[in-house]
Coordinates of all heavy atoms in Angstrom, one line a residue:
M1 N 0.8 -1.2 0.0 CA 0.0 0.0 0.0 C 0.9 1.3 0.0 O 0.6 2.2 -0.7 CB -0.9 0.0 1.2 CG -2.0 1.0 1.2 SD -3.3 0.6 0.1 CE -4.6 1.3 0.9
A2 N 2.0 1.3 0.8 CA 2.8 2.4 0.9 C 3.6 2.6 -0.4 O 3.8 3.7 -0.8 CB 3.8 2.3 2.0
L3 N 3.9 1.5 -1.1 CA 4.6 1.6 -2.4 C 3.7 2.3 -3.4 O 4.1 3.1 -4.2 CB 5.0 0.2 -2.8 CG 5.7 0.2 -4.2 CD1 7.1 0.9 -4.1 CD2 6.0 -1.3 -4.6
R4 N 2.4 1.9 -3.4 CA 1.4 2.5 -4.3 C 1.3 4.0 -4.1 O 1.2 4.8 -5.0 CB 0.1 1.8 -4.2 CG -0.9 2.2 -5.3 CD -2.2 1.5 -5.2 NE -1.9 0.1 -5.7 CZ -2.8 -0.8 -5.7 NH1 -4.0 -0.6 -5.2 NH2 -2.6 -2.0 -6.2
R5 N 1.3 4.4 -2.8 CA 1.1 5.8 -2.5 C 2.4 6.6 -3.0 O 2.2 7.7 -3.6 CB 1.0 6.1 -1.0 CG -0.4 5.8 -0.6 CD -0.6 6.2 0.8 NE -1.9 5.7 1.3 CZ -2.2 5.6 2.6 NH1 -1.3 5.9 3.5 NH2 -3.4 5.2 3.0
S6 N 3.5 6.1 -2.8 CA 4.8 6.8 -3.2 C 4.8 6.8 -4.7 O 5.3 7.8 -5.3 CB 6.0 6.1 -2.6 OG 6.2 4.8 -3.2
A7 N 4.4 5.8 -5.4 CA 4.4 5.8 -6.9 C 3.4 6.8 -7.4 O 3.6 7.5 -8.4 CB 4.1 4.4 -7.5
S8 N 2.2 7.0 -6.7 CA 1.2 7.9 -7.2 C 1.7 9.4 -6.9 O 1.1 10.3 -7.5 CB -0.1 7.6 -6.5 OG 0.0 7.9 -5.1
I9 N 2.6 9.6 -6.1 CA 3.2 10.9 -5.8 C 4.4 11.2 -6.8 O 4.5 12.3 -7.3 CB 3.6 11.1 -4.4 CG1 2.4 11.0 -3.5 CG2 4.3 12.4 -4.2 CD1 2.7 11.0 -2.0
V10 N 5.2 10.2 -6.9 CA 6.4 10.4 -7.7 C 6.1 10.5 -9.2 O 6.7 11.4 -9.9 CB 7.4 9.2 -7.5 CG1 8.6 9.3 -8.4 CG2 7.9 9.2 -6.0
L11 N 5.2 9.8 -9.7 CA 4.9 9.8 -11.2 C 4.4 11.2 -11.6 O 4.9 11.7 -12.6 CB 4.0 8.7 -11.5 CG 3.7 8.5 -13.0 CD1 5.0 8.1 -13.7 CD2 2.7 7.4 -13.2
P12 N 3.4 11.8 -11.0 CA 3.0 13.1 -11.4 C 4.1 14.2 -11.2 O 4.2 15.1 -12.1 CB 1.8 13.4 -10.5 CG 1.3 12.1 -10.0 CD 2.5 11.2 -10.0
L13 N 4.9 14.0 -10.2 CA 6.0 15.0 -10.0 C 7.0 14.8 -11.1 O 7.6 15.8 -11.6 CB 6.7 14.8 -8.6 CG 5.8 15.3 -7.4 CD1 6.6 14.9 -6.1 CD2 5.5 16.7 -7.5
A14 N 7.3 13.6 -11.5 CA 8.3 13.4 -12.6 C 7.7 14.0 -13.9 O 8.4 14.5 -14.7 CB 8.6 11.9 -12.7
A15 N 6.4 13.8 -14.1 CA 5.8 14.3 -15.3 C 5.8 15.8 -15.4 O 6.1 16.5 -16.4 CB 4.3 13.8 -15.4
V16 N 5.6 16.5 -14.2 CA 5.7 17.9 -14.1 C 7.1 18.4 -14.4 O 7.4 19.4 -15.0 CB 5.1 18.4 -12.8 CG1 5.5 19.9 -12.5 CG2 3.6 18.2 -12.7
A17 N 8.1 17.7 -13.8 CA 9.5 18.0 -14.0 C 9.9 17.9 -15.5 O 10.6 18.8 -16.0 CB 10.4 17.2 -13.1
V18 N 9.5 16.9 -16.1 CA 9.8 16.7 -17.6 C 9.1 17.8 -18.4 O 9.7 18.4 -19.3 CB 9.4 15.3 -18.0 CG1 9.4 15.2 -19.5 CG2 10.3 14.3 -17.4
G19 N 7.9 18.1 -18.0 CA 7.2 19.2 -18.8 C 7.9 20.5 -18.6 O 8.0 21.3 -19.5
A20 N 8.3 20.8 -17.4 CA 9.0 22.1 -17.1 C 10.3 22.1 -17.9 O 10.7 23.2 -18.4 CB 9.3 22.2 -15.6
L21 N 11.0 21.0 -17.9 CA 12.3 20.9 -18.7 C 12.1 21.2 -20.2 O 12.8 21.9 -20.8 CB 12.9 19.6 -18.4 CG 14.3 19.4 -19.1 CD1 15.3 20.3 -18.4 CD2 14.7 17.9 -18.9
V22 N 11.0 20.6 -20.7 CA 10.7 20.8 -22.1 C 10.3 22.3 -22.4 O 10.8 22.8 -23.4 CB 9.5 19.9 -22.5 CG1 9.0 20.3 -23.9 CG2 10.0 18.4 -22.6
L23 N 9.6 22.9 -21.5 CA 9.2 24.3 -21.7 C 10.4 25.2 -21.6 O 10.5 26.2 -22.4 CB 8.2 24.7 -20.7 CG 6.7 24.2 -20.9 CD1 5.8 24.6 -19.8 CD2 6.2 24.7 -22.3
L24 N 11.3 24.9 -20.7 CA 12.5 25.7 -20.6 C 13.5 25.6 -21.7 O 14.1 26.5 -22.2 CB 13.2 25.4 -19.2 CG 12.5 25.9 -18.0 CD1 13.3 25.4 -16.7 CD2 12.4 27.4 -18.0
S25 N 13.6 24.3 -22.3 CA 14.5 24.1 -23.4 C 13.9 24.5 -24.7 O 14.6 24.7 -25.7 CB 14.9 22.7 -23.4 OG 13.8 21.9 -23.7
A26 N 12.5 24.7 -24.8 CA 11.9 25.1 -26.0 C 12.2 26.5 -26.4 O 12.2 26.9 -27.5 CB 10.4 24.9 -25.9
S27 N 12.5 27.4 -25.4 CA 12.8 28.8 -25.7 C 14.1 28.9 -26.4 O 14.3 29.9 -27.2 CB 12.8 29.6 -24.4 OG 13.9 29.2 -23.6
S28 N 15.1 28.0 -26.2 CA 16.3 28.1 -26.9 C 16.3 27.3 -28.2 O 17.4 27.2 -28.9 CB 17.4 27.5 -26.0 OG 17.2 26.2 -25.7
A29 N 15.2 26.7 -28.6 CA 15.2 25.9 -29.8 C 14.9 26.7 -31.0 O 15.2 26.3 -32.1 CB 14.1 24.8 -29.7
F30 N 14.5 28.0 -30.9 CA 14.2 28.8 -32.0 C 15.3 29.8 -32.2 O 16.0 30.3 -31.3 CB 12.9 29.6 -31.8 CG 11.7 28.6 -31.6 CD1 11.2 28.3 -30.4 CD2 11.2 27.9 -32.8 CE1 10.1 27.4 -30.3 CE2 10.2 27.0 -32.6 CZ 9.6 26.8 -31.4
V31 N 15.5 30.2 -33.5 CA 16.5 31.2 -33.8 C 16.0 32.6 -33.5 O 14.8 32.9 -33.8 CB 16.8 31.1 -35.3 CG1 17.8 32.2 -35.7 CG2 17.4 29.7 -35.7
P32 N 16.8 33.5 -32.9 CA 16.3 34.8 -32.6 C 16.0 35.6 -33.8 O 16.6 35.4 -34.9 CB 17.4 35.4 -31.7 CG 18.6 34.6 -32.1 CD 18.1 33.3 -32.4
A33 N 15.2 36.6 -33.7 CA 14.8 37.5 -34.8 C 16.0 38.3 -35.2 O 16.8 38.7 -34.4 CB 13.6 38.3 -34.5
P34 N 16.2 38.7 -36.5 CA 17.3 39.5 -36.9 C 17.1 40.9 -36.3 O 16.0 41.4 -36.0 CB 17.2 39.6 -38.4 CG 15.8 39.2 -38.7 CD 15.3 38.3 -37.6
A35 N 18.2 41.6 -36.1 CA 18.2 42.9 -35.5 C 17.6 43.9 -36.5 O 17.9 43.9 -37.7 CB 19.7 43.3 -35.2
A36 N 16.8 44.8 -35.9 CA 16.1 45.8 -36.8 C 17.1 46.9 -37.2 O 16.9 47.6 -38.1 CB 15.0 46.4 -36.0
A37 N 18.3 47.0 -36.5 CA 19.2 48.0 -36.8 C 19.8 47.8 -38.2 O 20.2 48.8 -38.9 CB 20.3 48.1 -35.8
S38 N 20.0 46.6 -38.6 CA 20.6 46.3 -39.9 C 19.7 46.8 -41.0 O 20.1 47.2 -42.1 CB 21.0 44.8 -40.1 OG 19.8 44.1 -40.1
E39 N 18.4 46.7 -40.8 CA 17.4 47.1 -41.8 C 17.5 48.7 -42.0 O 17.4 49.2 -43.1 CB 16.0 46.7 -41.4 CG 15.7 45.3 -41.5 CD 15.3 44.9 -42.9 OE1 14.7 45.7 -43.6 OE2 15.5 43.7 -43.3
V40 N 17.6 49.4 -40.9 CA 17.6 50.8 -40.9 C 18.9 51.3 -41.5 O 19.0 52.3 -42.2 CB 17.4 51.4 -39.5 CG1 17.6 52.9 -39.5 CG2 16.1 51.0 -39.0
A41 N 20.1 50.6 -41.2 CA 21.4 51.1 -41.7 C 21.6 50.9 -43.2 O 22.4 51.6 -43.8 CB 22.5 50.4 -40.9
A42 N 20.8 50.0 -43.8 CA 21.0 49.8 -45.3 C 20.5 50.9 -46.1 O 19.4 51.4 -45.8 CB 20.3 48.5 -45.7
P43 N 21.3 51.4 -47.1 CA 20.8 52.5 -47.9 C 19.6 52.1 -48.8 O 19.4 50.9 -49.0 CB 22.0 52.9 -48.7 CG 23.0 51.8 -48.6 CD 22.6 51.0 -47.4
S44 N 18.9 53.0 -49.3 CA 17.7 52.7 -50.0 C 18.0 52.0 -51.3 O 17.2 51.2 -51.8 CB 16.9 54.0 -50.3 OG 17.7 54.9 -51.1
S45 N 19.2 52.3 -51.9 CA 19.5 51.6 -53.2 C 19.8 50.1 -52.9 O 19.4 49.3 -53.7 CB 20.7 52.3 -53.9 OG 21.9 52.2 -53.0
A46 N 20.4 49.8 -51.8 CA 20.7 48.4 -51.5 C 19.4 47.7 -51.2 O 19.2 46.5 -51.6 CB 21.7 48.3 -50.3
R47 N 18.5 48.4 -50.5 CA 17.2 47.8 -50.2 C 16.4 47.5 -51.5 O 15.8 46.5 -51.7 CB 16.4 48.7 -49.3 CG 15.8 48.0 -48.2 CD 15.0 48.9 -47.3 NE 15.9 49.7 -46.5 CZ 15.5 51.0 -46.1 NH1 14.4 51.5 -46.4 NH2 16.4 51.7 -45.4
F48 N 16.5 48.5 -52.5 CA 15.9 48.3 -53.8 C 16.5 47.1 -54.5 O 15.7 46.3 -55.1 CB 16.0 49.6 -54.6 CG 15.6 49.4 -56.0 CD1 14.2 49.3 -56.3 CD2 16.5 49.3 -57.1 CE1 13.8 49.1 -57.6 CE2 16.1 49.1 -58.4 CZ 14.7 49.0 -58.7
L49 N 17.8 46.9 -54.5 CA 18.4 45.8 -55.2 C 18.0 44.5 -54.5 O 17.8 43.5 -55.2 CB 19.9 46.0 -55.2 CG 20.4 47.1 -56.1 CD1 21.9 47.3 -55.9 CD2 20.1 46.9 -57.5
Q50 N 18.0 44.5 -53.2 CA 17.6 43.2 -52.5 C 16.1 42.9 -52.9 O 15.8 41.7 -53.2 CB 17.7 43.4 -51.0 CG 19.1 43.5 -50.5 CD 19.1 43.8 -49.0 OE1 18.1 44.1 -48.4 NE2 20.3 43.6 -48.4
A51 N 15.2 43.8 -53.0 CA 13.8 43.6 -53.3 C 13.7 43.1 -54.8 O 13.0 42.2 -55.1 CB 13.0 44.8 -53.1
A52 N 14.5 43.7 -55.7 CA 14.5 43.3 -57.1 C 15.0 41.9 -57.3 O 14.4 41.1 -58.0 CB 15.3 44.3 -57.9
A53 N 16.1 41.5 -56.5 CA 16.6 40.2 -56.7 C 15.6 39.2 -56.1 O 15.5 38.1 -56.7 CB 17.9 40.1 -55.9
A54 N 15.0 39.5 -55.0 CA 14.0 38.5 -54.5 C 12.8 38.4 -55.4 O 12.3 37.2 -55.6 CB 13.6 39.0 -53.1
S55 N 12.3 39.5 -56.0 CA 11.2 39.3 -56.8 C 11.5 38.6 -58.1 O 10.7 37.9 -58.7 CB 10.6 40.7 -57.1 OG 11.5 41.5 -57.9
S56 N 12.7 38.9 -58.7 CA 13.1 38.2 -59.9 C 13.3 36.7 -59.7 O 12.9 35.9 -60.5 CB 14.3 38.8 -60.5 OG 15.4 38.6 -59.7
G57 N 13.8 36.3 -58.5 CA 14.0 34.9 -58.2 C 12.6 34.2 -58.0 O 12.4 33.1 -58.5
A58 N 11.7 35.0 -57.4 CA 10.3 34.4 -57.2 C 9.7 34.3 -58.6 O 8.9 33.3 -58.8 CB 9.5 35.3 -56.3
A59 N 9.9 35.2 -59.5 CA 9.2 35.1 -60.8 C 9.8 33.9 -61.6 O 9.0 33.3 -62.3 CB 9.5 36.4 -61.6
V60 N 11.1 33.7 -61.5 CA 11.6 32.5 -62.2 C 11.0 31.2 -61.7 O 10.7 30.3 -62.4 CB 13.2 32.5 -62.1 CG1 13.8 31.2 -62.5 CG2 13.8 33.6 -62.9
L61 N 10.9 31.1 -60.3 CA 10.4 29.9 -59.8 C 8.9 29.7 -60.1 O 8.4 28.6 -60.3 CB 10.6 29.9 -58.2 CG 12.0 29.7 -57.8 CD1 12.1 29.9 -56.3 CD2 12.6 28.4 -58.2
A62 N 8.2 30.9 -60.1 CA 6.7 30.8 -60.3 C 6.4 30.5 -61.8 O 5.3 30.0 -62.2 CB 6.0 32.1 -59.9
S63 N 7.3 30.9 -62.7 CA 7.0 30.8 -64.1 C 7.1 29.4 -64.7 O 6.6 29.1 -65.7 CB 7.9 31.7 -65.0 OG 9.3 31.2 -64.9
G64 N 7.8 28.5 -63.9 CA 7.9 27.2 -64.3 C 9.1 27.0 -65.3 O 9.1 26.1 -66.1
A65 N 10.0 27.9 -65.3 CA 11.2 27.8 -66.2 C 12.2 26.7 -65.9 O 12.9 26.2 -66.7 CB 11.9 29.2 -66.3
L66 N 12.2 26.3 -64.6 CA 13.2 25.3 -64.2 C 12.9 24.0 -64.8 O 13.9 23.3 -65.2 CB 13.2 25.3 -62.7 CG 13.7 26.5 -62.0 CD1 13.7 26.3 -60.5 CD2 15.1 26.8 -62.4
P67 N 11.7 23.5 -65.0 CA 11.5 22.2 -65.6 C 12.0 22.2 -67.1 O 12.4 21.2 -67.6 CB 10.0 21.9 -65.6 CG 9.6 22.7 -64.4 CD 10.4 23.9 -64.3
A68 N 12.0 23.3 -67.7 CA 12.5 23.4 -69.1 C 14.0 23.2 -69.2 O 14.5 22.8 -70.2 CB 12.1 24.7 -69.7
L69 N 14.7 23.5 -68.1 CA 16.1 23.4 -68.0 C 16.6 21.9 -67.7 O 17.7 21.6 -67.9 CB 16.7 24.3 -67.0 CG 16.4 25.8 -67.3 CD1 17.0 26.6 -66.1 CD2 17.0 26.3 -68.6
A70 N 15.7 21.1 -67.2 CA 16.0 19.8 -66.8 C 16.2 18.9 -68.1 O 15.7 19.2 -69.1 CB 14.9 19.2 -65.9
E71 N 16.9 17.8 -67.9 CA 17.1 16.8 -69.0 C 15.8 16.1 -69.2 O 15.0 15.9 -68.3 CB 18.2 15.8 -68.6 CG 19.5 16.4 -68.6 CD 20.6 15.3 -68.3 OE1 20.3 14.1 -68.6 OE2 21.6 15.6 -67.8
E72 N 15.6 15.7 -70.5 CA 14.4 14.9 -70.8 C 14.6 13.5 -70.4 O 15.7 12.9 -70.6 CB 14.2 15.0 -72.3 CG 12.8 14.4 -72.7 CD 12.5 14.7 -74.2 OE1 13.0 15.7 -74.7 OE2 11.8 13.9 -74.7
I73 N 13.6 12.9 -69.8 CA 13.7 11.5 -69.4 C 13.3 10.6 -70.5 O 12.3 10.8 -71.2 CB 12.7 11.3 -68.2 CG1 13.1 12.2 -67.1 CG2 12.7 9.8 -67.8 CD1 12.1 12.2 -65.9
D74 N 14.2 9.6 -70.8 CA 13.9 8.6 -71.9 C 12.7 7.7 -71.5 O 12.3 7.7 -70.3 CB 15.1 7.8 -72.2 CG 15.6 6.9 -71.1 OD1 15.3 7.3 -69.9 OD2 16.3 6.0 -71.4
S75 N 12.2 7.0 -72.5 CA 10.9 6.3 -72.3 C 11.1 5.1 -71.3 O 10.2 4.8 -70.6 CB 10.4 5.8 -73.6 OG 11.4 4.9 -74.2
A76 N 12.3 4.5 -71.4 CA 12.6 3.3 -70.5 C 12.5 3.8 -69.0 O 12.0 3.1 -68.1 CB 13.9 2.7 -70.8
E77 N 13.1 5.0 -68.7 CA 13.2 5.5 -67.4 C 11.8 5.9 -66.9 O 11.4 5.6 -65.8 CB 14.1 6.7 -67.3 CG 14.2 7.3 -65.9 CD 14.8 6.4 -64.9 OE1 15.6 5.5 -65.2 OE2 14.6 6.6 -63.7
A78 N 11.0 6.5 -67.8 CA 9.6 6.8 -67.5 C 8.8 5.6 -67.2 O 8.0 5.5 -66.2 CB 9.0 7.6 -68.6
Y79 N 9.0 4.5 -68.0 CA 8.3 3.3 -67.7 C 8.7 2.7 -66.4 O 7.8 2.2 -65.6 CB 8.5 2.3 -68.9 CG 7.9 0.9 -68.7 CD1 6.5 0.8 -68.9 CD2 8.6 -0.2 -68.3 CE1 5.9 -0.5 -68.7 CE2 8.1 -1.4 -68.0 CZ 6.7 -1.5 -68.3 OH 6.1 -2.8 -68.1
N80 N 10.0 2.7 -66.1 CA 10.4 2.1 -64.8 C 9.9 2.9 -63.6 O 9.5 2.3 -62.6 CB 12.0 2.1 -64.8 CG 12.6 1.0 -65.7 OD1 11.9 0.1 -66.0 ND2 13.8 1.2 -66.0
R81 N 9.8 4.2 -63.8 CA 9.2 5.0 -62.7 C 7.7 4.6 -62.5 O 7.3 4.6 -61.3 CB 9.3 6.5 -63.0 CG 10.7 7.0 -62.8 CD 10.8 8.5 -62.9 NE 12.1 9.0 -62.8 CZ 12.4 10.3 -62.8 NH1 11.5 11.2 -63.0 NH2 13.6 10.7 -62.7
K82 N 7.0 4.5 -63.6 CA 5.6 4.1 -63.4 C 5.4 2.8 -62.8 O 4.5 2.6 -62.0 CB 4.9 4.2 -64.8 CG 4.7 5.5 -65.4 CD 4.1 5.5 -66.7 CE 3.9 6.9 -67.3 NZ 3.3 6.9 -68.6
V83 N 6.2 1.8 -63.2 CA 6.1 0.5 -62.6 C 6.5 0.5 -61.1 O 5.8 -0.1 -60.3 CB 7.0 -0.5 -63.4 CG1 7.2 -1.8 -62.7 CG2 6.5 -0.7 -64.8
M84 N 7.5 1.2 -60.8 CA 7.9 1.2 -59.4 C 6.9 2.0 -58.5 O 6.6 1.6 -57.4 CB 9.3 1.9 -59.2 CG 10.4 1.2 -59.8 SD 10.6 -0.5 -59.1 CE 11.6 -0.1 -57.7
T85 N 6.3 3.0 -59.1 CA 5.2 3.7 -58.3 C 4.0 2.8 -58.2 O 3.4 2.8 -57.1 CB 4.8 5.0 -59.1 OG1 6.0 5.8 -59.3 CG2 3.8 5.8 -58.3
G86 N 3.6 2.1 -59.2 CA 2.5 1.2 -59.1 C 2.7 0.1 -58.1 O 1.9 -0.3 -57.3
A87 N 4.0 -0.4 -58.1 CA 4.3 -1.5 -57.1 C 4.3 -1.0 -55.7 O 3.8 -1.6 -54.8 CB 5.7 -2.1 -57.5
A88 N 4.7 0.3 -55.5 CA 4.7 0.9 -54.2 C 3.3 1.0 -53.7 O 3.0 0.8 -52.5 CB 5.5 2.2 -54.2
Y89 N 2.4 1.5 -54.5 CA 1.0 1.7 -54.1 C 0.4 0.3 -53.8 O -0.3 0.2 -52.8 CB 0.2 2.3 -55.2 CG 0.4 3.8 -55.3 CD1 0.6 4.4 -56.6 CD2 0.3 4.6 -54.2 CE1 0.8 5.8 -56.7 CE2 0.4 6.0 -54.3 CZ 0.7 6.6 -55.6 OH 0.8 7.9 -55.7
C90 N 0.6 -0.7 -54.6 CA 0.1 -2.0 -54.4 C 0.6 -2.6 -53.1 O -0.2 -3.2 -52.3 CB 0.3 -3.0 -55.5 SG -0.6 -2.5 -57.0
L91 N 1.9 -2.5 -52.8 CA 2.5 -3.1 -51.6 C 2.0 -2.3 -50.4 O 1.7 -2.9 -49.3 CB 4.0 -3.0 -51.6 CG 4.7 -4.1 -52.5 CD1 6.1 -3.8 -52.6 CD2 4.4 -5.5 -51.9
T92 N 1.8 -1.0 -50.5 CA 1.3 -0.2 -49.3 C -0.1 -0.7 -49.0 O -0.5 -0.9 -47.8 CB 1.3 1.3 -49.7 OG1 2.7 1.6 -50.0 CG2 0.8 2.1 -48.5
L93 N -0.9 -0.8 -50.0 CA -2.3 -1.3 -49.8 C -2.4 -2.7 -49.2 O -3.1 -3.0 -48.3 CB -3.1 -1.2 -51.1 CG -4.6 -1.6 -51.1 CD1 -5.3 -0.7 -50.1 CD2 -5.2 -1.6 -52.4
A94 N -1.5 -3.6 -49.8 CA -1.5 -4.9 -49.3 C -1.1 -5.0 -47.8 O -1.7 -5.7 -47.0 CB -0.5 -5.8 -50.1
F95 N 0.0 -4.2 -47.4 CA 0.4 -4.2 -46.0 C -0.7 -3.6 -45.1 O -0.9 -4.1 -44.0 CB 1.7 -3.5 -45.8 CG 2.9 -4.3 -46.2 CD1 3.8 -3.8 -47.2 CD2 3.1 -5.5 -45.7 CE1 4.9 -4.5 -47.6 CE2 4.2 -6.3 -46.1 CZ 5.1 -5.8 -47.0
F96 N -1.4 -2.6 -45.6 CA -2.4 -1.9 -44.8 C -3.6 -2.9 -44.6 O -4.1 -3.1 -43.5 CB -2.9 -0.7 -45.5 CG -4.0 0.0 -44.8 CD1 -3.7 0.7 -43.6 CD2 -5.3 0.0 -45.3 CE1 -4.7 1.4 -43.0 CE2 -6.3 0.7 -44.6 CZ -6.0 1.4 -43.5
L97 N -4.0 -3.6 -45.7 CA -5.1 -4.6 -45.6 C -4.7 -5.8 -44.7 O -5.5 -6.3 -43.9 CB -5.6 -5.0 -46.9 CG -6.3 -3.9 -47.8 CD1 -6.6 -4.5 -49.2 CD2 -7.5 -3.5 -47.1
M98 N -3.4 -6.2 -44.8 CA -3.0 -7.3 -44.0 C -3.0 -6.9 -42.5 O -3.4 -7.8 -41.7 CB -1.6 -7.7 -44.4 CG -1.1 -9.0 -43.7 SD 0.6 -9.5 -44.2 CE 1.5 -8.2 -43.5
D99 N -2.6 -5.7 -42.2 CA -2.6 -5.2 -40.9 C -4.1 -5.2 -40.3 O -4.4 -5.5 -39.2 CB -2.0 -3.9 -40.7 CG -2.0 -3.4 -39.3 OD1 -1.5 -4.1 -38.5 OD2 -2.4 -2.2 -39.1
L100 N -5.0 -4.8 -41.2 CA -6.4 -4.7 -40.7 C -7.0 -6.1 -40.5 O -7.7 -6.4 -39.5 CB -7.3 -4.0 -41.8 CG -7.2 -2.5 -41.8 CD1 -8.1 -2.0 -43.0 CD2 -7.7 -1.9 -40.5
I101 N -6.6 -7.1 -41.4 CA -7.1 -8.4 -41.2 C -6.5 -9.1 -40.0 O -7.2 -9.8 -39.3 CB -6.9 -9.2 -42.5 CG1 -7.7 -8.7 -43.6 CG2 -7.1 -10.7 -42.3 CD1 -7.4 -9.2 -45.0
V102 N -5.2 -9.0 -39.8 CA -4.5 -9.7 -38.7 C -4.9 -9.1 -37.4 O -5.2 -9.8 -36.4 CB -3.0 -9.6 -38.9 CG1 -2.3 -10.0 -37.6 CG2 -2.6 -10.4 -40.1
S103 N -5.1 -7.8 -37.3 CA -5.4 -7.2 -36.0 C -6.9 -7.1 -35.9 O -7.7 -7.7 -35.3 CB -4.8 -5.8 -35.8 OG -5.3 -4.9 -36.8

């Protein structure tokens, strides 16, 4: 009986201690925000160039120009990819159904 009482006290205390440790370590898990002073110190022309570079990079990614630069896949490779994808779907379904039937 005494063992059960001590376990009922120690287990919640251990859970609270672990929770406190997680909360304290979570504050150091994130990267701090950049300093606002560097934004103010940059001249307007540098800020304009940074914005132009970011917008042109976003435009290239959004336009879909990158797939045009990739190599063309030959028919044998495309067929192999389709077969492997189909086999992966079938095996996943088979394992899922087997798990449902067994359990």
Side-chain angles (χ1 to χ4, degrees):
M1 190 78 146
L3 180 64
R4 184 176 288 174
R5 282 188 189 163
S6 66
S8 66
I9 294 172
V10 172
L11 187 62
L13 289 177
V16 168
V18 168
L21 184 65
V22 167
L23 285 176
L24 289 175
S25 66
S27 65
S28 65
F30 299 104
V31 177
S38 65
E39 288 276 334
V40 175
S44 63
S45 63
R47 229 180 286 149
F48 171 74
L49 291 175
Q50 288 175 349
S55 64
S56 64
V60 167
L61 291 176
S63 68
L66 292 180
L69 301 175
E71 292 183 23
E72 189 172 334
I73 300 172
D74 61 338
S75 61
E77 180 66 25
Y79 176 75
N80 287 339
R81 284 186 182 183
K82 287 180 184 179
V83 168
M84 294 301 276
T85 302
Y89 282 132
C90 290
L91 284 173
T92 302
L93 181 63
F95 283 125
F96 180 73
L97 291 176
M98 186 180 69
D99 183 50
L100 281 178
I101 292 171
V102 169
S103 65

